[in-house]
Amino acid sequence: MIWDRRMETLDRAGLQELQEARLGWSLGWAKGRVPFYQERLKGWQEGMNPLKVLADLPFTVKADLRENYPLGFLAVPRQEVRRFHASSGTRGNPTVVAYTEHDLVVWAEVVARSLAAAGMKPGQTLHNAYGYGLFTGGLGLHAGAERLGLSVIPASGGSTERQVKLLVDLAPDGLACTPSYALYIAETLSQMGISPNEVSLTTGIFGAEPWSNGMRERLEAGFGIQAVDIYGLSEITGPGVAMECVEGKNGLHVFEDFFLVEVINPQTGEGVEPGIVGEMVLTTLSKEAMPMIRYRTGDLVSVNPEPCPCGRTSVRISRIHGRSDDMLIVRGVNVFPSEVERVILSQEGVSPHYQLVFEGHPSRPDLVVELEEMMPGALDGSGLTRRLTSALGVRLGVRIMAAGQVPRSQGKAVRVVSRIKED
Ligand SMILES: [Zn+2]
């Protein structure tokens, strides 16, 4: 189902016209109201073609938000703000984001579109196990689900046995959470002796961490569902910036009437061609409270402009290859945790719970993949080591653990841990 057929199937010329008008508005709004942009957007003047000059304007980066903590980017009077969200701030100041009433309407709208793209229909029920609170996942999905006309079970994270009970007793159609938490729910189901066909779920809406097609297969089999990927980030709005459609299951449609996407070479800052992986840069086209111009997301994707079987005309971004922040360096070689996941989950007998552990001497640490086998003796550790080494170009260790030994996630998975002993 396409929620806003007119906008989601607009022809490219019509979309470009709309983007040009909205981008011009957004640049003027940001420059006129945010001191940071007044300085940065000196190169932009009213009357220029905004789509033509965009590539010459400077980027905005996460550090700019931290330096302007808490509300240096606010573009409206404080009393016009209806909601704040904030990042966890594990590395310094959290990032605070703000929404006007109109911003919240747009956010609910793009989430409604996303849920419809996943296959949800008005009248159905969504079990929302994204965390409610400062994180945008819970409340973001919630508002969009209500806008689409779903009933929502605001389960949030944790208390997994109770969640399983509600999944069985309230018989929701959709489940929204991180893919790693969905795995934990599936595992809890089987520990409680409940088989996938005893739950009514048909649709999984999973995001907020990178995941592979191997993980998709495990989740689809574990629940008997169709699983699709939702993407977003609080700096731009939250979940609902882009969404995979259930018909295509091959990349995420960007809601380009609200978010303008560019993909750049992260070293040079130059745009790259469709199909080439680079860093995604997003510009908000309607955001009032905190407009973002050319925000470097750190997420590595490629753009696919080819038509999609679902009929939506927006470009698709590939599933996130990883974040430039998540990239690990092992013996001088770049390694993405998502790439490790792709390799290990392509092997039969590997359970989808895994962690990457740095250990050994601080000057020359080893990276060891700790994973579980589905059945004792199912895995050949040295064969897996060879496959990982040839796929990643560097030798990683593999440690096969007993079932249940790898820590489970009840929110965002912790994929990388350090057990390096300092001298
Ligand atoms: Zn599609």
Side-chain angles (χ1 to χ4, degrees), residues 56-139:
D56 299 325
L57 299 175
F59 296 113
T60 306
V61 297
K62 185 96 174 172
D64 296 326
L65 294 178
R66 290 215 183 95
E67 279 162 25
N68 288 280
Y69 176 85
L71 294 173
F73 272 83
L74 195 62
V76 296
R78 183 69 185 262
Q79 59 272 27
E80 288 179 26
V81 174
R82 290 292 169 272
R83 173 119 44 99
F84 293 104
H85 280 281
S87 70
S88 53
T90 41
R91 290 184 231 177
N93 277 338
T95 308
V96 175
V97 294
Y99 304 78
T100 62
E101 191 170 339
H102 181 255
D103 293 337
L104 291 175
V105 168
V106 170
W107 187 13
E109 184 64 26
V110 292
V111 173
R113 289 183 190 181
S114 300
L115 291 166
M120 301 291 295
K121 295 182 188 66
Q124 292 187 325
T125 300
L126 180 72
H127 182 103
N128 185 12
Y130 275 117
Y132 279 64
L134 288 170
F135 171 56
T136 50
L139 287 164

Side-chain angles (χ1 to χ4, degrees), residues 334-390:
N334 300 342
V335 173
F336 286 102
S338 51
E339 183 66 6
V340 174
E341 177 182 304
R342 190 186 65 74
V343 175
I344 59 177
L345 292 194
S346 66
Q347 301 300 302
E348 296 214 3
V350 178
S351 113
H353 307 279
Y354 69 94
Q355 259 184 342
L356 307 182
V357 181
F358 278 106
E359 56 185 35
H361 194 268
S363 69
R364 201 176 155 74
D366 294 307
L367 186 62
V368 176
V369 185
E370 291 191 341
L371 46 79
E372 295 175 6
E373 50 193 353
M374 312 266 251
M375 309 243 282
L379 289 183
D380 160 21
S382 57
L384 202 49
T385 304
R386 274 198 303 281
R387 270 196 204 91
L388 277 169
T389 304
S390 83

